[in-house]
Amino acid sequence: AASDNNIKAIKKRLNAQTISYDKMNQHRHVEFFKDVNGILAHMKKHGLALQEYARGHESAGMFDMDAENKGCGNSVTTPEDVTDPAYARQILLSLCETVGIRLRAEHKKAGGVSVGMRTAGFENSSRQMQLESSTDVTEEIYRAAWTLLMRMWDGKKPLRLLNVTATRLTEFEYRQYSLFDSVDYEKLEKANQAIDQIRAKFGENAVMRASFLKSSVSPTSGGLNKEKRRESIEREADEET
């Protein structure tokens, strides 16, 4: 809704329009980055790759994806019908925690996420989406997974199985930055890695999200059993040292 005066003002500004470069947005980028050093400092490895690519110096495998590595996924069959969205959220987050642990242990990033579900009536559905940036951050995987589940579940049909799969796996890290994105992804990555190391040393329940404190849902569901996941994380820590 808008007043008559506001509508007139808007129409006046939109009277003449052309399809052209977004010069205002380009100007904001110039003001923000200043020069190529600003771009490299902000975008790091991905900025360097884009710079070389723009100059025609494309390195072999710069943007390659491993077609043979199809994904890293986990699923869980629920002990009871799931009709509460809050309960479904916890199960999905638990699966995403395990997927994130596996990705980080294998030094992989996900370029996409797929979610599947099975109802109590044995109806199967799945959805998938491509991510703007490759990631192994649990929070990003979960955000995409919940969006996908909401696209196919009405929150009423009883669920009996959920699965989450990280797809388009790659070892190359790329990130699509936005000037208006306030999330510190590097901090999240470091936090996830630190949590993995604590869990490897003291057990997977040593660190958990507050939503799991009084829940019947395990903080990490599906995939490898806990001992194998712990061995995988310990092996990764030994390789880094």
Side-chain angles (χ1 to χ4, degrees):
S3 67
D4 292 338
N5 290 335
N6 284 340
I7 292 174
K8 288 179 182 179
I10 292 171
K11 284 183 176 180
K12 184 177 179 180
R13 287 176 171 79
L14 298 180
N15 187 36
Q17 297 185 23
T18 59
I19 299 176
S20 182
Y21 298 106
D22 185 355
K23 294 183 179 180
M24 183 62 72
N25 199 33
Q26 290 175 346
H27 180 72
R28 284 197 293 265
H29 279 76
V30 171
E31 288 295 315
F32 181 82
F33 289 119
K34 305 298 184 185
D35 53 28
V36 66
N37 293 324
I39 295 174
L40 295 178
H42 185 73
M43 303 184 73
K44 297 182 171 58
K45 292 181 180 179
H46 189 46
L48 180 61
L50 289 177
Q51 181 189 44
E52 293 298 306
Y53 192 70
R55 291 175 175 176
H57 303 157
E58 181 179 357
S59 301
M62 185 180 291
F63 295 105
D64 289 351
M65 297 289 183
D66 186 357
E68 294 183 359
N69 196 342
K70 296 184 178 180
C72 170
N74 293 319
S75 64
V76 62
T77 300
T78 62
E80 58 187 351
D81 290 350
V82 177
T83 55
D84 180 8
Y87 187 24
R89 272 183 177 273
Q90 283 194 321
I91 296 172
L92 207 65
L93 177 57
S94 177
L95 290 170
C96 291
E97 288 274 21
T98 313
V99 169
I101 291 172
R102 292 178 60 187
L103 286 174
R104 293 186 290 272
E106 297 173 14
H107 302 285
K108 298 290 185 181
K109 305 282 185 179
V113 173
S114 172
V115 172
M117 71 176 197
R118 178 179 298 160
T119 68
F122 295 96
E123 298 175 1
N124 296 317
S125 301
S126 64
R127 294 288 186 278
Q128 60 182 343
M129 69 187 301
Q130 183 173 336
L131 302 176
E132 292 184 355
S133 306
S134 64
T135 186
D136 60 7
V137 176
T138 298
E139 290 80 359
E140 285 188 275
I141 297 168
Y142 168 70
R143 186 166 62 243
W146 179 250
T147 298
L148 290 170
L149 182 61
M150 288 296 94
R151 289 178 182 176
M152 58 181 170
W153 184 47
D154 60 5
K156 298 177 181 178
K157 272 190 177 181
L159 302 178
R160 290 307 302 265
L161 181 144
L162 285 170
N163 70 64
V164 175
T165 303
T167 61
R168 298 175 61 85
L169 303 189
T170 176
E171 294 180 355
F172 180 76
E173 181 178 0
Y174 63 91
R175 179 164 294 283
Q176 182 69 40
Y177 284 95
S178 169
L179 297 180
F180 309 104
D181 193 345
S182 60
V183 178
D184 190 337
Y185 294 103
E186 288 189 26
K187 185 177 291 185
L188 284 176
E189 288 176 357
K190 291 178 181 178
N192 279 198
Q193 292 166 3
I195 291 171
D196 288 345
Q197 293 173 4
I198 294 172
R199 285 172 169 167
K201 187 172 183 179
F202 300 104
E204 289 194 357
N205 291 335
V207 179
M208 68 176 69
R209 299 176 190 273
S211 59
F212 292 110
L213 288 175
K214 297 182 179 181
S215 172
S216 60
V217 179
S218 170
T220 51
S221 297
L224 300 171
N225 64 47
K226 293 185 178 182
E227 286 303 317
K228 288 185 177 180
R229 282 200 294 268
R230 183 172 181 174
E231 291 173 4
S232 179
I233 296 171
E234 288 175 343
R235 185 167 58 252
E236 177 194 7
D238 291 340
E239 289 175 358
E240 291 180 350
T241 56

